[in-house]
Structure formats: structure tokens, C-alpha cells
Amino acid sequence: MSRSASESAVITTARRAREAAAALAPLPRTARDAALEAIADALEARSAEIVEANAQDIARARQAGTPDAIVDRLTLTEQRVSAIAADVRDVVALPDPVGEVVRGSTLPNGLELRQVRVPLGVVGIIYEARPNVTVDAASLCLKAGNAVLLRGSSSAYASNTALVAVLRDAVVAAGLPADAVQLVPGESRESVHELMGARGLVDVLIPRGGASLIKTVVEQSTVPVIETGTGNCHVYIDESADLGMAVDILVNSKAQRPSVCNAAETVLVHAGIADRFLPRALAALTEAGVKVHGDEAWQKAGSSAGVEVAPATDEDWATEYLSYDIAAAVVPGLDEAAAHIRRWTSGHTEAIVTRDTAAARRFVSLMDSTAVMVNASTRFTDGSQFGYGAEIGISTQKLHARGPMGLPELTSTTYIVTGDGHIRE
Amino acid sequence: MSRSASESAVITTARRAREAAAALAPLPRTARDAALEAIADALEARSAEIVEANAQDIARARQAGTPDAIVDRLTLTEQRVSAIAADVRDVVALPDPVGEVVRGSTLPNGLELRQVRVPLGVVGIIYEARPNVTVDAASLCLKAGNAVLLRGSSSAYASNTALVAVLRDAVVAAGLPADAVQLVPGESRESVHELMGARGLVDVLIPRGGASLIKTVVEQSTVPVIETGTGNCHVYIDESADLGMAVDILVNSKAQRPSVCNAAETVLVHAGIADRFLPRALAALTEAGVKVHGDEAWQKAGSSAGVEVAPATDEDWATEYLSYDIAAAVVPGLDEAAAHIRRWTSGHTEAIVTRDTAAARRFVSLMDSTAVMVNASTRFTDGSQFGYGAEIGISTQKLHARGPMGLPELTSTTYIVTGDGHIRE
């Protein structure tokens, strides 16, 4: 495609990213790592400038009456900028995914076949609020040899503009094309729509943020999308569970950090242990500040224990609360628990607590989710917990990547086939 | 979603496939292989019935004045049905992709992490003319534990209906749910559109066929798509090439089977060898019945050799001829060849003929395609040539699968994480 006079700023940006990606692809690890080192150094050297720009976003947010917790997520201090720079250095230390031979063989006719990891090309990230994502996403994309288009929240526009200016200067100083890192121009929804239509220029879009943003991108984008993050996670307490372990895992899954996608939203309990488990669970959940939305069995147990249990409706089974709330039901058995989960899950993480190996195997085989925990908290579905280093998101789709996405998930592969004049008969 | 009175037949079919997929997922290899054996046996036992149904399609095709070559592709004989049954038995013999541990480790806290291949779930295949694809696609999907929705060409509707009836009976006889294999009802385009909107019921759509079908599905589907097959493939003859080898690879790439996606459509020649190479290439291409659409250099060489060379336009660089035609240009060097290819390629297969190791490395590093051949014909990009057994198509996209798609590409993965009460601190 050639550039036309009427081309939008977003499409021009995407075209520049495509050119930068072509220049990045043949570069060896040393060149990409040098750019990341330059970025880390520049972030520290210019942190005052970044914090100053961030102050504008904070002032705007306060004026708009933004809640303190969100203002805090938006806030950059010199210390936080240093921590972001340290994260970039951690990315430098990760193994290079580019060039890894994934499969290889010599064919019967002597042709040498190698399937090799290569950069995806141009990666677009659409994300909300937190400006540290700007640097995290850019550094992971660069490490994997990709050009990145960053479309952050308008509430962090000044911060992101300052950060991207620092990143681009550092990239250029290291001899890479500036357009390897670009902020998508425009603060309106229109720029997201243009990005979604840039098929052929952008290789993949990764939306990170609220469910409505992700739904919009998944349904409307002609650019391929990796769906991330909605987590309606379940904990099933089997008849054979160690009840103390079950209470600990339930409370940890729900309440250790309720605002994240791998927090539990529903607990299902085998009928055979309900009498013994529900009172203990109610006490522990109440202690942790969690409100239960339960079926009749949980409501009865609540009455006996003097704890208010709200009646659960279908909406509760479907909801990702992201708060100190949990839906709760008693089920006749494991298969019914699995059926409930398959009906309502967003496909993120499910857990079983059991002492029975057959029950564990059967539960795992009946799930259709990104991760299944056996006697462990749902909160472990996480790139850094899995030992993958930084993650660019947790994919809840089945194609390309499922689960925490690290560097290998930011690559594609190509076949290199070497012969000495081979032709097909 | 619950079934509503107004639900279309296609959506009902997809919902049944989803239920069948849930039943298939926990089954071991032995159960899936038994179903495939039953299919192979049933195809042979009922081949008369299949050939009879096929005769209706052939009669319709002849009445409509369909060209002989296409009627031939549509035709089933008892012998061809036997060959299809033999292909199913080959699939039985392939390694089971389901359950393969792709990655695994014990985390520092003792959690055991395994990333394991699981079926995708419901796979929809949209394909044209050839009824053997019905059985190939169904057997590969079943082998990988998936339910399959088959949306074949209306011109093969009677054949496909008969084949799917045989497949379903065999699947049931082997104890699997009949709805593991279904024909999508309706012969109209509308049924394709409904399939494309069945997000949440269908996990992936694989369109196989003409460029316009693929474009429609890629642009309009909300179900994730794997793009297959368009092949605007290039052969670049480097300055250092062995000219005899170059002629052989060029003619093989173009003319060994011009109607397929891995056939070459453009040849680019280094200016330094044009004087010596063009006359030899023109003679060999003409001998093979190939018409050249060339730039000025090729036209001049044509005049000298008394061979008609049509003037090439931008349309020629962009065209996947799939016929005895080839676009041809002389380029100043390797980098210009790479630039031409990156501009016009569909990203399928490119080849370089060279004796220079540095040129080979540089060409490979500059390509952004599914496969790059060094001193080999483009015709080798093929699942069976690569030793992967049957293929369900050749993906030309970068996400999930790139290149010939075998059984592993028909799976997703899930994480199984096992602890003994692990919680996050």
C-alpha cells in the first residue's frame, strides 16, 4: 500500500512501525539488548522530566474526582521510575526467543528443515491507566524483535508521551529506528478503531484492561487479537478435601488480592462435606472481609452462623466481582461442579482441593480453562510465578497463546529449508 | 447461552458440537483411534452408497457445464474411497498430540507446573469442491480430540451428506458422540455467515479455498480464524547461483503443479547474471509451457530469443496466477529483490538460489514469510513433504500456526499446577 494524502495519523504511525519492524527483524540479540540497556539508563537519567509530566495527569485526575486508588496506580515517583528501569534490565537478562529452533530434522531427501522463532512484526497494545505498562510492553516487544504501537489511556497521556519520548531517544542512541516504539496519536476512541482496522500493517493487537474494552476489540478488530484477562475463576472443594487446606486456599484465592484476574469469584462445595465445611468457610471469609452470595445451603449456613449471606442469582455465577464478594454453591458431586464451571467460566483458572487422586485427574480432564490448580491457590496463574519473567498479559483464548504470555508468545515461527538444488518429482 | 425458539439450524449444530467436544476431551487415544478405524472400515464397506450419492453431484456439475478438471476433482470412485480410507488409517498411526507436555518444571516453592496439549474444542472447516477434504478434515480433528463442523461446497452437497452419514454412524459404533462430526446445514452463503458469528460455540474457523472466501472469513468472522493458502511465491536467482540449478528450481517451482499455493508466481534475477541467465530461463520456461510477463530486461531477452514476453504491470507482481504464467524482473541486487518480495508477497514461500553463504543468510533474515527455501523448490512447503503426515491446510498467518498445519496445530494447551495446599504470600 502506498501512502495517500487522506491517510490518518494512526495509519501513518502503523506504516512507520511496519518499516521499523522490517529493520529490527534481522538484528541480533546484542543490538536489541543494547537498546534496552539504553532505555533503562535513560529512564533513570530523565526521571525528573517523567515525574513532572506525570504530575499533569495526576492533577487532571484529581480535578475529575478520580478515586484515590486509581490516582495511586497512575502516580509515578522517581523511585517508581527506578523500579521500572530495573524491570527493563530484568528483561535484558531473559533468554532471547528470536532464532530459537523449535523443530528441525533432515528429510529423507536430504533437505534440512528448521522451524525457527521470528518476531511477530508490529504489536499493538491497548491498555488502561498504569503508565508502567508503557515501558513493560515496549521492552518485551523490543526484546522479541517487534515494533510496538502503544495506545494507553487518555488519563495517562502526558506520562505516556514523556515516557515514549525517552524510550525513542534511547532506541535511536542505540542505533535502532525510533519508530520501533510509538505512541498511537489521539486520545479518542476513534484511534482504537483505526488500529483495529489496520490489518496488514499491524500483526496483532493485545487489549489489556476492562471487559468492555476487550469485548469491543475482539468483536470488531480485523487485525488478529489476543484476548486477555477476564477471570471468573472457581474453587471446587471436593468431598475428600483437607478442610483446613480448603479454607486456606479459598481465602487466599479470593482475598489475597481481589482486584486481579486470577482471584476466585465462585466457590463450589461437595454436598458430602457441606455441613462441616460451610461454617468454617463462612467464618474465614467473614474474617477476611468477604461477602458471600450463596445458594440455599449457604444461606441456611449463614443463618445458623449469624452471617449475612445474600441470595445468589445467575448474575452472581456470571460475575467477575474483582472485589470482596464471592458466589457460593453446594453441588451434589464433582461432575456437577465441573458442569457449573464449564457453563459459567471465562476460561481463566479453576482450582480443586482434594485428597483423592482420581478426583484430581477427573476434574482436570473436565476443565476447559487456561490453568487448573490442584491443591493450590488460583492466584498462581501469573508469568512471574511461573518463572517466565515479565508477562505482557494472560491470554484466555485458545489460539497462539493460552495463559501467561512471555517472550516466546511475542514471536511467530518461519521454516528455513536448505537443499542443494532439490526439486519435487 | 440457552437454546431459544428462534435459534438457527447452524447455531443449534454448533451448540451440539460444543457438547460433543466436552465429551471428547477426556477420552484417551485408544477411544479416538478406535473411532478412526471404524470410519476407515465403514468407508470401504459403504463405498457403493457414497459413489451413488456422488453421481448426483457429478450429474448436476455436468448439467451446469462445469469444466472437466473440476468435475474430476469432484468425482469419487470405489477406488478413490478406498484411498481415502487408507488416509484415515495413516492418521491413526500418527502420534497423539493430546496430553503432550510442552513445558514443565518444579517451581522454587515446590509447585509442579505442566503445560499440556489439549483439544481446541470445536473446529469449523469451510472448504470447496473436493469431497475427500470432508474425511481428511474430520479424521484429523477427531484424532486431536476436537468436534468438527464441516461446511463444504454446495456442488458436493450430496457426496458430503453421504460421507458424513457414514462417519457419524462409525463414530457412534465406536462409542463416541455422533455430533463429533457434523455437516453445517444449508447450502447458502448465509450458513457461512452464521458460522462466523458463532463466537463462544466454535473455537476456530479454517477457511480452505479461493482468495475471496478466505478474505471474507478473515474480515468478517468474530470466531478466531486461521488464514490459509494464498501463495504469491517468489524465486530469487542470486548473482552467485549455479545457473543450471537455478533453471531447474525455477521450472520446478513454477510448472511442476501450477495450480497449488506453493507454486512460484514471480522470478527475480540479479542484474549481474541476467545476460547469461535470461536466455536459458526463457528457453526452459517456454519448453515447460510457461508464459512470461516480464520487465524491460525480460522483454528484450524475449525479443532476442524470439519468445513473446508480455509487459509486466503492478498487477502481475500482485497476482497469484495458479497457471502456466510467471512474472519476471531483473533487480540490481539481493536487497532490492527482498524489498520487492516484502512489498508483494502473500507471505507463503520464497526461494533463493545462491552459492554464497552470506547471501543465503541475508536473504533468509530479510524475508517475512511462512517458509524460505535455500537452493530448493518452493513446492516443498507441504505437510507431507515436511514429514508431518496429513495437513489441514497451510497457514499464512503469524499467530498460532504458520506453515503446514498438522495435528499439534489442531490443539491448544492448558496449565496443570499441582501443590499440597500452596497459597500466595
Side-chain angles (χ1 to χ4, degrees):
Chain A
M1 286 186 267
S2 60
R3 194 179 302 185
S4 77
S6 63
E7 183 170 286
S8 80
V10 173
I11 297 301
T12 303
T13 305
R15 196 180 304 284
R16 285 198 190 126
R18 182 116 229 111
E19 282 162 26
L24 284 177
L27 296 180
R29 169 174 187 165
T30 47
R32 287 176 271 123
D33 281 357
L36 293 173
E37 293 282 8
I39 284 173
D41 293 346
L43 285 168
E44 290 182 328
R46 293 168 65 178
S47 63
E49 176 185 331
I50 293 162
V51 169
E52 205 180 296
N54 180 249
Q56 299 170 32
D57 289 331
I58 293 175
R60 264 203 304 174
R62 289 215 186 281
Q63 231 167 5
T66 309
D68 283 355
I70 294 178
V71 171
D72 180 61
R73 282 166 49 136
L74 184 62
T75 302
L76 291 175
T77 61
E78 302 222 356
Q79 205 176 4
R80 285 189 180 180
V81 173
S82 275
I84 293 172
D87 289 342
V88 175
R89 293 199 179 93
D90 287 345
V91 172
V92 173
L94 290 173
D96 186 9
V98 179
E100 185 196 345
V101 179
V102 180
R103 280 194 280 196
S105 63
T106 301
L107 302 180
N109 59 9
L111 273 181
E112 289 171 27
L113 180 71
R114 282 177 294 155
Q115 186 182 22
V116 176
R117 283 199 191 283
V118 292
L120 278 170
V122 177
V123 178
I125 319 267
I126 305 173
Y127 56 104
E128 294 179 346
R130 293 192 298 173
N132 64 307
V133 173
T134 304
V135 183
D136 286 355
S139 61
L140 286 168
C141 286
L142 277 179
K143 175 81 182 182
N146 299 300
V148 65
L149 291 173
L150 299 156
R151 206 289 180 184
S153 161
S154 57
S155 63
Y157 199 73
S159 315
N160 289 338
T161 302
L163 285 166
V164 168
V166 171
L167 265 53
R168 285 168 62 92
D169 288 351
V171 161
V172 169
L176 269 57
D179 291 337
V181 181
Q182 291 181 91
L183 203 61
V184 173
E187 299 182 51
S188 71
R189 280 260 152 175
E190 182 55 26
S191 67
V192 173
H193 279 271
E194 289 185 22
L195 209 49
M196 293 193 295
R199 192 177 174 92
L201 293 176
V202 180
D203 291 295
V204 61
L205 280 183
I206 305 176
R208 287 180 55 166
S212 95
L213 166 70
I214 291 167
K215 190 169 185 289
T216 302
V217 177
V218 157
E219 290 183 353
Q220 298 182 17
S221 180
T222 61
V223 172
V225 173
I226 299 180
E227 192 174 350
T228 66
T230 313
N232 184 10
C233 304
H234 297 74
V235 176
Y236 165 62
I237 316 296
D238 189 44
E239 189 168 22
S240 70
D242 176 307
L243 297 193
M245 183 194 290
V247 168
D248 289 348
I249 286 176
L250 171 59
V251 171
N252 188 261
S253 296
K254 174 69 253 181
Q256 197 251 351
R257 200 173 162 204
S259 64
V260 293
C261 60
N262 57 19
E265 307 292 4
T266 296
V267 56
L268 302 171
V269 179
H270 192 291
I273 52 155
D275 284 353
R276 285 178 295 141
F277 183 70
L278 266 50
R280 289 180 67 168
L282 277 170
L285 288 167
T286 305
E287 165 81 20
V290 177
K291 179 176 177 189
V292 175
H293 306 250
D295 64 357
E296 277 186 31
W298 280 85
Q299 291 170 48
K300 262 189 211 163
S303 301
S304 307
V307 173
E308 202 206 315
V309 171
T313 64
D314 274 2
E315 208 186 314
D316 289 292
W317 311 132
T319 298
E320 185 187 16
Y321 295 112
L322 298 173
S323 61
Y324 287 92
D325 294 84
I326 195 164
V330 169
V331 291
L334 186 150
D335 282 21
E336 290 81 0
H340 177 107
I341 295 171
R342 287 187 75 111
R343 174 159 182 206
W344 297 106
T345 186
S346 65
H348 194 299
T349 300
E350 329 298 348
I352 181 173
V353 185
T354 185
R355 280 188 292 206
D356 178 347
T357 54
R361 268 173 66 94
R362 178 147 183 88
F363 185 80
V364 166
S365 80
L366 293 176
M367 291 298 99
D368 187 23
S369 295
T370 294
V372 187
M373 302 286 160
V374 178
N375 296 328
S377 169
T378 57
R379 292 273 295 113
F380 283 108
T381 304
D382 176 278
S384 108
Q385 291 292 321
F386 281 8
Y388 295 169
E391 74 181 25
I392 200 134
I394 295 178
S395 163
T396 51
Q397 69 179 34
K398 293 186 183 175
L399 290 190
H400 186 70
R402 200 179 194 197
M405 286 188 289
L407 290 169
E409 287 74 21
L410 286 172
T411 65
S412 181
T413 59
T414 192
Y415 284 100
I416 304 171
V417 185
T418 309
D420 48 16
H422 286 68
I423 58 172
R424 267 184 81 170
E425 303 302 333
Chain B
M1 287 186 270
S2 60
R3 194 179 300 182
S4 76
S6 64
E7 183 171 286
S8 79
V10 172
I11 297 301
T12 302
T13 304
R15 196 179 304 284
R16 285 197 191 128
R18 183 115 227 111
E19 281 162 25
L24 285 175
L27 296 178
R29 170 173 186 166
T30 47
R32 287 176 270 126
D33 281 357
L36 292 173
E37 292 283 8
I39 285 173
D41 294 346
L43 286 168
E44 290 181 329
R46 293 169 66 178
S47 64
E49 176 185 332
I50 293 163
V51 170
E52 205 181 295
N54 180 249
Q56 299 170 32
D57 288 331
I58 293 173
R60 264 204 303 177
R62 290 216 185 281
Q63 229 168 5
T66 309
D68 283 354
I70 293 177
V71 172
D72 180 61
R73 283 167 48 138
L74 184 62
T75 302
L76 291 175
T77 60
E78 302 223 357
Q79 205 176 4
R80 285 189 182 180
V81 174
S82 276
I84 293 172
D87 288 343
V88 176
R89 292 199 179 94
D90 287 345
V91 172
V92 174
L94 291 173
D96 186 9
V98 179
E100 185 195 345
V101 178
V102 180
R103 279 194 280 197
S105 63
T106 301
L107 302 180
N109 59 9
L111 272 181
E112 289 171 27
L113 180 72
R114 283 177 295 155
Q115 186 182 23
V116 176
R117 283 199 192 283
V118 291
L120 278 170
V122 177
V123 178
I125 320 268
I126 304 173
Y127 56 103
E128 294 178 345
R130 293 192 299 172
N132 64 307
V133 173
T134 305
V135 183
D136 287 355
S139 61
L140 286 167
C141 285
L142 277 180
K143 176 81 182 183
N146 299 300
V148 65
L149 291 174
L150 299 156
R151 206 291 182 182
S153 162
S154 57
S155 64
Y157 199 73
S159 314
N160 288 339
T161 303
L163 286 166
V164 169
V166 171
L167 265 53
R168 286 168 62 92
D169 288 351
V171 160
V172 169
L176 268 58
D179 291 338
V181 182
Q182 291 180 91
L183 203 61
V184 174
E187 301 182 51
S188 72
R189 279 261 153 173
E190 182 55 24
S191 66
V192 174
H193 279 271
E194 290 186 23
L195 210 49
M196 295 193 294
R199 191 176 176 92
L201 293 176
V202 180
D203 291 294
V204 60
L205 280 183
I206 305 176
R208 288 180 54 166
S212 95
L213 166 70
I214 291 167
K215 189 168 185 291
T216 302
V217 177
V218 158
E219 290 182 355
Q220 297 182 18
S221 181
T222 60
V223 172
V225 173
I226 298 180
E227 191 175 351
T228 66
T230 313
N232 184 12
C233 305
H234 297 75
V235 176
Y236 166 63
I237 316 295
D238 189 44
E239 187 168 24
S240 69
D242 175 306
L243 296 193
M245 183 194 290
V247 168
D248 289 347
I249 286 176
L250 171 59
V251 171
N252 189 261
S253 296
K254 174 69 250 182
Q256 197 249 352
R257 200 172 161 205
S259 63
V260 291
C261 59
N262 58 18
E265 307 293 3
T266 296
V267 56
L268 302 171
V269 179
H270 192 291
I273 53 157
D275 284 354
R276 286 177 295 141
F277 182 71
L278 266 49
R280 287 179 68 169
L282 277 170
L285 288 168
T286 306
E287 166 80 20
V290 176
K291 180 175 177 191
V292 175
H293 306 251
D295 64 359
E296 276 186 31
W298 280 85
Q299 291 171 48
K300 263 188 209 161
S303 302
S304 308
V307 173
E308 202 206 315
V309 171
T313 63
D314 274 2
E315 206 185 315
D316 289 292
W317 311 133
T319 297
E320 185 188 16
Y321 295 113
L322 297 174
S323 62
Y324 286 92
D325 293 84
I326 194 164
V330 169
V331 290
L334 186 150
D335 281 21
E336 291 82 358
H340 176 107
I341 294 170
R342 285 186 75 111
R343 173 157 182 208
W344 296 106
T345 185
S346 64
H348 195 298
T349 300
E350 330 298 348
I352 180 173
V353 185
T354 185
R355 281 189 292 209
D356 178 347
T357 55
R361 268 173 65 94
R362 178 149 183 87
F363 185 80
V364 166
S365 80
L366 292 176
M367 292 297 100
D368 187 22
S369 295
T370 293
V372 187
M373 302 286 161
V374 178
N375 296 328
S377 169
T378 57
R379 292 275 294 114
F380 284 107
T381 304
D382 176 277
S384 109
Q385 292 292 322
F386 281 8
Y388 295 169
E391 74 181 24
I392 200 134
I394 295 179
S395 163
T396 52
Q397 70 180 32
K398 292 184 182 175
L399 289 190
H400 185 71
R402 200 179 193 197
M405 286 187 289
L407 290 169
E409 287 74 20
L410 286 172
T411 65
S412 181
T413 58
T414 193
Y415 284 99
I416 304 171
V417 184
T418 309
D420 47 16
H422 286 67
I423 58 171
R424 268 183 81 170
E425 304 301 333

